[in-house]
Amino acid sequence: MTDTAYPHLFEQVRPLADAPAEERVRRIRTDRWIGYARAEAALAELDDLLTFPKRLRMPNLLLVGPSNNGKTMIIDKFRRTHATGICAGGCDSAVAVPVLKMQMPPAPDEKRFFGAVLEALGAPDRSSDRLAAKQDIAMRMMRATNVGMLIIDEVHNILTGTRMQQRRLLSLLRWLGNELQIPLVAVGTAEALRAIQSDDQLANRFMPFRLPPWQADEEYMRLLNTLEAMLPLREASGLEEPALAQKLLSAAEGILGEVVRLVTLAAVEAVTSGAERIRIEDIDDIGFMPPSERRRAC
Ligand SMILES: Nc1ncnc2c1ncn2[C@@H]1O[C@H](COP(=O)(O)OP(=O)(O)OP(=O)(O)O)[C@@H](O)[C@H]1O
Ligand SMILES: [Mg+2]
């Protein structure tokens, strides 16, 4: 391999292009982070929130977008950059958890909610404990570990509860923000937005940050370019060429996770068939079912 081999790949990926097929397939299937502009903007917003001075009324964020469109990837990336560590001071415990991420449990009630907080903190959660006990331990642990931001993924799960449960959980969120004086970040689909907006007081505390479906614009072309440069194929595919880019976008129905899955499938096929590049004519034959068809099939 010369220095100029594989100019379509990122420099650090080039040596991999000479690796055996199995290794390249494994690499292609591994999840990777692409820092597209909207994701970077979301990360910047989250950083901003985390450094916000404590005050009575903390600003909150609602990361909202369709399923499989990169929401969890963003908050996981954010959490990794603010990893749990030794407490540098100001906590009552040996560890500090600057960013705590939990999931809204399905069919949630207050008890399950605090159970999920404890689980996220790695604390034992005895299901037999009464609500008051769970709430007390969870609140004390969040304070002791200096939690500076609480991220609640899958917030739309609130809607699986009864009207009464929904109202109780929404007011619990309001109470939590006030009590801990930390920003809350809710993450979910448009239903999550609907749930939060059904409570006037929450609605004006949560700033929606949208991750809309993708369109055939410059940002999408950049995404394809980056993806192509990360996949160790020996030939250039030119994913951003309009006909191919459009074909991928339509099959993926504008959803990021589907674009990534489709390109990944096509790249594996390109390695195993020996074609070494993704060709538009192969896209129909790789067994990719668009998300709406998949939903119809189940
Ligand atoms: N920044 C990114 N870089 C590379 N791939 C990404 C990125 N964001 C998302 N993806 C791809 O999209 C898939 C879905 O992303 P993610 O799980 O974050 O979606 P989501 O919006 O949380 O979906 P859901 O609402 O169903 O939980 C990922 O598994 C990954 O393959
Ligand atoms: Mg998710």
Side-chain angles (χ1 to χ4, degrees):
M1 192 188 83
T2 64
D3 279 354
T4 49
Y6 312 127
H8 59 291
L9 299 179
F10 285 137
E11 221 174 294
Q12 59 281 26
V13 182
R14 286 177 199 161
L16 260 168
D18 288 323
E22 311 87 80
E23 195 179 329
R24 289 192 292 145
V25 165
R26 197 159 41 79
R27 173 70 176 222
I28 290 167
R29 288 184 173 146
T30 310
D31 247 344
R32 74 216 97 230
W33 167 260
I34 300 175
Y36 55 93
R38 196 74 189 138
E40 297 295 343
L43 290 172
E45 285 275 330
L46 290 169
D47 257 326
D48 226 38
L49 273 189
L50 189 59
T51 52
F52 207 87
K54 260 191 195 307
R55 63 173 201 202
L56 226 48
R57 210 183 155 88
M58 293 298 287
N60 299 325
L61 191 81
L62 173 62
L63 194 56
V64 59
S67 180
N68 209 6
N69 208 29
K71 303 182 294 297
T72 301
M73 286 280 281
I74 291 174
I75 53 174
D76 282 349
K77 169 88 175 163
F78 181 72
R79 194 174 45 154
R80 280 199 301 278
T81 56
H82 299 279
T84 301
I86 307 293
C87 186
C91 358
D92 297 332
S93 113
V95 273
V97 184
V99 175
L100 183 65
K101 179 199 147 186
M102 61 175 287
Q103 277 195 25
M104 183 63 80
D109 55 25
E110 289 124 306
K111 200 166 146 179
R112 291 201 184 100
F113 180 91
F114 284 111
V117 172
L118 289 172
E119 195 186 309
L121 282 164
D125 169 31
R126 289 185 306 266
S127 52
S128 58
D129 277 353
R130 299 233 313 270
L131 168 62
K134 266 195 213 296
Q135 174 166 349
D136 185 51
I137 303 171
M139 295 302 284
R140 267 194 289 137
M141 279 194 70
M142 281 197 280
R143 288 198 173 100
T145 51
N146 252 7
V147 170
M149 173 186 281
L150 177 63
I151 304 183
I152 310 164
D153 202 356
E154 313 277 344
V155 157
H156 42 265
N157 279 346
I158 287 187
L159 292 172
T160 59
T162 60
R163 294 285 307 161
M164 183 64 165
Q165 274 170 342
Q166 291 178 30
R167 270 205 300 277
R168 292 174 74 100
L169 273 163
L170 293 171
S171 64
L172 173 63
L173 291 186
R174 233 188 295 134
W175 176 82
L176 257 184
N178 291 342
E179 191 68 19
L180 294 169
Q181 293 190 356
I182 59 172
L184 304 181
V185 175
V187 181
T189 58
E191 277 83 49
L193 183 63
R194 199 155 56 78
I196 290 205
Q197 285 180 339
S198 71
D199 181 308
D200 285 346
Q201 280 163 291
L202 273 184
N204 59 38
R205 272 170 220 207
F206 275 88
M207 218 25 186
F209 186 102
R210 288 173 207 273
L211 289 173
W214 289 69
Q215 293 177 345
D217 54 15
E218 256 178 54
E219 189 53 28
Y220 170 62
M221 302 306 163
R222 253 198 304 275
L223 174 83
L224 290 181
N225 245 318
T226 309
L227 200 50
E228 177 165 348
M230 287 175 161
L231 301 174
L233 296 180
R234 292 177 183 156
E235 309 274 333
S237 306
L239 294 185
E240 82 287 3
E241 274 164 30
L244 182 49
Q246 188 54 55
K247 175 132 191 131
L248 294 169
L249 189 67
S250 320
E253 295 171 352
I255 299 299
L256 175 58
E258 301 292 346
V259 173
V260 172
R261 204 169 71 87
L262 177 52
V263 171
T264 303
L265 273 175
V268 168
E269 177 61 24
V271 170
T272 49
S273 72
E276 290 297 337
R277 66 190 188 89
I278 297 169
R279 296 171 305 197
I280 191 165
E281 59 271 26
D282 297 332
I283 300 294
D284 292 326
D285 304 328
I286 53 172
F288 177 83
M289 204 188 257
S292 58
E293 260 175 55
R294 229 178 301 142
R295 275 193 294 275
R296 270 201 299 276
C298 353

